Amino acid sequence: MNIVCVGGGPAGLYFAILMKKAFPDARIAVRERNRADDTFGWGVVFSKETLGHFGDADAETYAEIRRRFAYWDDIDTFVGGARITSTGHGFCGMSRMQLLNILQERAAGLGVELRFEDEVDDVESLDADLVIGGDGVNSALRERYADVFRPTIEWGSCRFTWLGTTLPLESFTFIYRENEHGLFAVHSYPFQSDLSTFIVECSEDTWRRAGLDRADEAATVRYCEELFRDDLKGHPLLTNRSIWRSFPTIRCERWHHGNLVLMGDAVHTAHFSIGSGTKLAMEDAIALVDAFRAHGTDDVPTVLEAYQEARWVDVAKLQRAAAVSRRWFENVARYKDQDPIQFTFNQTTRSKRITWDNLATRDPEFVTRTRDWYAGHVGAKRNEDGRSPAPMFTPFRLRDLELRNRVVVSPMCMYSADDGVVNDWHLVHLGSRAIGGAGLVITEMTDVSPEGRITPGCAGMYRDEHVVAWRRVVDFVHRHSRAAIAMQLAHAGRKGATKRMWEGMDQPLEEGAWPLISASPLPYLPHGQVPREMTRADMDEVRDDFVRAARLAEEAGFDMLELHCAHGYLLASFLSPLTNQRTDGYGGSVQARLRYPLEVFDAVRAAWPEHKPMSVRISATDWAPGGNE
């Protein structure tokens, strides 16, 4: 088998090593357009778990990598004039150049041909049974066959530059410094005794205000050395193609085409705040060789399909976590004034991969410190065992209503009412969740008029019978649990007059439909009923329906109200520019689109007892071009 690896990074080199070991007769060449000693960046970092995975793949490279690695368990965060340390995380790092040298030597020793300063211009002219596209973020191979790979690139909103420093570190270190231009964050870690990676990141606006959009490497170093003078302790910053850039998250629908397969950064990237592109690349290599072992070398298309099938879920999970982590850092200015303990806890758990329980296993002392700080912050009493409660189980006050904890059962439509009247099903459904220990239970979407229902089975609050039925549920919750209960009030708008979920979700009723109204005459589905654009008289009538429902909810004994302005229902249809195309004073600007929902809110709030709380549910983004962001 004749194999050409285009790109001499970790993807191509590690694949060549593993493939040559598995199939010694294969002829493998690695062709790299740059010099052997030319690479971007400084260090690479892995978790100890990842490093162990490499040990199973090739013991020789694993042993040499381990010999060069720097190990540490701590994360230090410098924020708000404090240094907060969390431990038990298990990191290891090394020079990127050293890693490439190890892989180059190992590959050459196995008989892999290494060719540097060798540009591949035409893949189709290569005499190869398999071509590995490991040519990095700016992959020419990916772009040449973009119609097949169908890549998407999501650009981060921050700017960062990848620097190095001689400052010796003993931990993964985050540093936050603010000046007249804005907030800067440093992601730094050791990769050998006298060198550390020092990534500086800031928002686009801060970058421009600081004049860094016009800075060369020397100017960048001068600016950052002055800003982080106290942190660097006299050590210089070092450059290596240290230009300012935005991070591209690359995803491809397909990873292979004919005998060409993409690996590493060419096919997927994950933000540096959560992991290493090197990790992804080397794990790709392991998976592709495993696929060859399973299917042999005679059926390359089957192997490549098996490779993508084996990898895409794990890659998607990591990319999702990395995207959440990236967005946290993009919005870090929101959190900079938090208490340093709170800030550090949120930073550590930002990607959701480290949970409260997981962090308690890694660093129980830090979690105890967080519990104590938070309990003091909210005035929570200690438990019977003398420990502070976890934040989730501290009380939460809304006006005169104190919830015993912060667990909330959100609304879930049951479509099981009879002309709006709830029954035993609702009593058991909501009652069981209340006695389960939640601090607050919210009813399903409860409609303020017959015409406001989604389906004939939706709950209502517009007749005396509804009050009686709902009071039975409320009394049960109050008598048998410590939970509070809230009613969510809504009007379905253009999403009304549809079948129950199990009969055809969102499908229009074939019989017994009622006329629909909305902000604009736009059907929810193309084949759905076209709603009437609301007149001022309609607005007054619906507003009064909400007020009547609020008064009936008070009569039934509810502790709280929620006004439903989300999920495309009536009030939401005013908020979104996609569904509000009005040309009067209730459409156009966001202020105008807010007018009617705010009128309803004000009227309901005035009718609802002052000591009882009220909330509003919104869809914070439309997730659609031209919609709310």
Side-chain angles (χ1 to χ4, degrees), residues 8-10 13 32 34-46 64-65 67-69 93-106 114 116 162 189 191-192 195 197 239-241 276 278 282:
L13 286 169
E32 167 59 47
N34 296 312
R35 302 190 314 272
D37 61 350
D38 187 12
T39 185
F40 160 71
W42 292 91
V44 295
V45 62
F46 301 115
E64 189 61 23
I65 287 171
R67 191 173 70 82
R68 305 286 186 91
F69 258 127
M94 71 179 299
S95 160
R96 179 175 172 82
M97 193 67 254
Q98 285 187 350
L99 175 62
L100 291 177
N101 289 340
I102 291 170
L103 298 178
Q104 290 166 6
E105 292 173 10
R106 175 68 171 146
L114 304 181
F116 296 97
W162 205 299
Y189 57 87
F191 59 84
Q192 59 190 54
L195 284 174
T197 289
T239 61
N240 178 7
R241 299 188 217 168
S276 168
T278 304
M282 295 175 71

Side-chain angles (χ1 to χ4, degrees), residues 120 163 246 549:
V120 175
L163 301 164
S246 300

Side-chain angles (χ1 to χ4, degrees), residues 31 49 67 75 121 125 164 167 177 186 191 203 210 219 256 319 345 365 384 466 477 487 561 599 606 614:
R31 299 176 61 174
E49 179 183 1
R67 191 173 70 82
I75 298 175
D121 296 320
S125 67
L167 175 70
R177 292 286 177 260
V186 167
F191 59 84
S203 70
H256 56 92
Q319 286 191 305
F345 178 86
E365 184 178 340
E384 293 180 358
H466 298 155
V477 170
M487 168 162 278
L561 283 185
E599 284 181 15
M614 180 174 163

Side-chain angles (χ1 to χ4, degrees), residues 496-532:
T498 61
K499 298 178 180 179
R500 293 173 176 86
M501 182 174 61
W502 51 88
E503 298 169 343
M505 186 172 178
D506 292 331
Q507 297 305 308
L509 288 171
E510 295 167 1
E511 295 181 359
W514 49 89
L516 303 181
I517 56 175
S518 188
S520 298
L522 302 171
Y524 179 63
L525 296 177
H527 60 283
Q529 182 186 155
V530 177
R532 184 180 79 252

Side-chain angles (χ1 to χ4, degrees), residues 94-150:
M94 71 179 299
S95 160
R96 179 175 172 82
M97 193 67 254
Q98 285 187 350
L99 175 62
L100 291 177
N101 289 340
I102 291 170
L103 298 178
Q104 290 166 6
E105 292 173 10
R106 175 68 171 146
L110 289 169
V112 174
E113 180 186 2
L114 304 181
R115 297 168 60 177
F116 296 97
E117 299 182 76
D118 182 17
E119 186 83 42
V120 175
D121 296 320
D122 184 7
V123 172
E124 294 174 359
S125 67
L126 292 174
D127 179 21
D129 302 304
L130 175 69
V131 178
I132 303 296
D135 52 343
V137 170
N138 300 314
S139 171
L141 299 181
R142 182 187 66 237
E143 295 311 310
R144 177 165 185 174
Y145 301 103
D147 59 326
V148 176
F149 297 129
R150 294 188 290 277

Side-chain angles (χ1 to χ4, degrees), residues 469-480:
W470 275 119
R471 187 185 294 120
R472 179 168 172 251
V473 175
V474 171
D475 287 349
F476 179 92
V477 170
H478 288 161
R479 185 180 307 116
H480 297 288

